[in-house]
Amino acid sequence: MRHYTLKPITLAKELEALDQLEARDNKPATEREEEVLTTLTYISKMITIKGIDPEDMSVAFLLNNLYSYDYENIVQSVERLNAKYRAAGQSAVSDTKAAENESATR
């Protein structure tokens, strides 16, 4: 099993995510599809997966390699990471190994 690490999103990466979302040619058909694709866009800017080149990390990669179970676990990790920083009142860029969990790919 591979492990993943989530890093808090930087402002530059967040702007990249926003640009990527606005530049989509195919708009999602349902609210759920929009939610998943938006979440994966942000996750693709926050996640590193052991053994996967960061240049290969994309929404398409995550869509084609994550199981629903993995997706839910990663979303929960992001929520814990965000809660940690809200509770601590810290800058999100101060901890680069904030969340680590089990497999995020097949």
Side-chain angles (χ1 to χ4, degrees), residues 49-65:
I49 301 173
K50 186 177 179 177
I52 304 298
D53 186 340
E55 295 298 318
D56 293 334
M57 193 57 55
S58 66
V59 173
F61 175 86
L62 294 171
L63 276 172
N64 290 310
N65 291 283

Side-chain angles (χ1 to χ4, degrees), residues 17-96:
L18 289 170
D19 288 344
Q20 188 176 341
L21 289 167
E22 287 185 23
R24 290 185 298 200
D25 290 331
N26 299 326
K27 300 296 179 190
T30 66
E31 284 185 38
R32 177 66 179 150
E33 186 178 353
E34 172 72 26
E35 176 187 328
V36 170
L37 293 174
T38 298
T39 300
L40 287 176
T41 300
Y42 282 95
I43 288 171
S44 72
K45 305 297 182 193
M46 301 171 71
I47 196 167
T48 54
I49 301 173
K50 186 177 179 177
I52 304 298
D53 186 340
E55 295 298 318
D56 293 334
M57 193 57 55
S58 66
V59 173
F61 175 86
L62 294 171
L63 276 172
N64 290 310
N65 291 283
L66 287 180
Y67 292 106
S68 293
Y69 177 80
D70 293 322
Y71 172 79
E72 294 301 328
N73 282 334
I74 292 169
V75 168
Q76 289 173 5
S77 294
V78 169
E79 290 169 354
R80 285 192 303 271
L81 178 63
N82 290 337
K84 173 184 172 182
Y85 283 102
R86 279 192 303 271
Q90 295 178 344
S91 169
V93 296
S94 63
D95 184 7
T96 59

